[in-house]
Amino acid sequence: HCTLESRGKVVLDRNGVQVTAFLVHHEPARPAYGYRVDYKGRSVTISGDTVPCEELIHYAKDTDLLVHDAINHEVVQYLSDLYKARGDRFGDRLGHMFGDILDYHSNPNQAINNAADANVTLLVLTHMVPPRRNAVIRRFSRIGWGTKGARNAHWKGEFVEADDGMLWTLKPLPSKEIDQSYVVNN
């Protein structure tokens, strides 16, 4: 698991932009990093692929926007069981692969709790498995993911499930606004 002894490191500090890389927990893939970008009093933190860990909460503290991986553990477990039940080598291999990824990715509720613990303004759920390719899947995923009506009682922030082409713009201080738009038609 992540420890605070493996603190982050500033990897870029130029023209007012500061990027800090920090280790996250994504074993067996190592190293795995999250990133925090600070510019003129505004900040964006990117979790990378991770399960909840203290580093992420530490480096995301009071960030304006947290981009966080989130997979639907129930659906992925179902796929794992379905493939394993085939009883052949291909199914067994895919079943184990789907089962393994549960150990190193967060689910939406864990991401929401991380955002609450870090006092994040806006949480963007991304790297969503299964992918949300069309409106029907997006609707079912919102119901099945447990994000419909999901909340952390002590968090005042908001969250959104990302789709390809979404863009967020942080307005300069003193504004705390974060605009959402699309760079491509959805």
Side-chain angles (χ1 to χ4, degrees), residues 4-179:
L4 287 176
E5 290 80 50
S6 57
R7 298 239 178 221
K9 178 180 179 183
V10 174
V11 294
L12 176 77
D13 194 353
R14 188 175 305 143
N15 299 325
V17 176
Q18 185 176 73
V19 178
T20 304
F22 54 94
L23 289 170
V24 293
H25 180 52
H26 188 56
E27 285 80 11
R30 281 185 264 199
Y33 294 95
Y35 297 91
R36 179 176 173 126
V37 180
D38 289 281
Y39 181 66
K40 293 187 177 184
R42 302 298 306 265
S43 60
V44 174
T45 303
I46 303 164
S47 73
D49 290 352
T50 188
V51 294
C53 65
E54 292 177 355
E55 269 75 16
L56 176 58
I57 293 165
H58 175 79
Y59 286 100
K61 193 73 174 163
D62 298 321
T63 198
D64 295 295
L65 181 97
L66 172 60
V67 180
H68 200 305
D69 81 310
I71 67 169
N72 184 328
H73 281 211
E74 291 78 17
V75 170
V76 173
Q77 184 62 59
Y78 173 79
L79 292 171
S80 174
D81 295 343
L82 187 69
Y83 277 114
K84 287 178 185 176
R86 286 174 46 136
D88 61 20
R89 202 158 103 195
F90 176 76
D92 190 52
R93 184 173 179 195
L94 277 178
H96 282 291
M97 183 180 71
F98 276 110
D100 286 348
I101 68 171
L102 297 173
D103 295 335
Y104 46 88
H105 288 90
S106 298
N107 67 42
N109 289 323
Q110 290 170 324
I112 289 168
N113 287 333
N114 286 343
D117 290 344
N119 193 37
V120 169
T121 303
L122 177 63
L123 168 65
V124 176
L125 300 175
T126 189
H127 188 37
M128 297 170 77
V129 176
R132 300 160 24 95
R133 298 285 186 241
N134 63 48
V136 172
I137 292 173
R138 285 192 295 272
R139 177 144 174 88
F140 281 119
S141 74
R142 188 152 179 97
I143 293 166
W145 284 55
T147 57
K148 185 171 183 155
R151 227 48 216 128
N152 182 302
H154 69 277
W155 183 46
K156 292 181 173 65
E158 297 293 326
F159 75 91
V160 64
E161 297 167 345
D163 289 313
D164 291 344
M166 283 181 152
L167 172 71
W168 288 270
T169 304
L170 281 64
K171 297 213 172 170
L173 289 176
S175 174
K176 285 298 211 173
E177 288 182 51
I178 302 172
D179 289 339

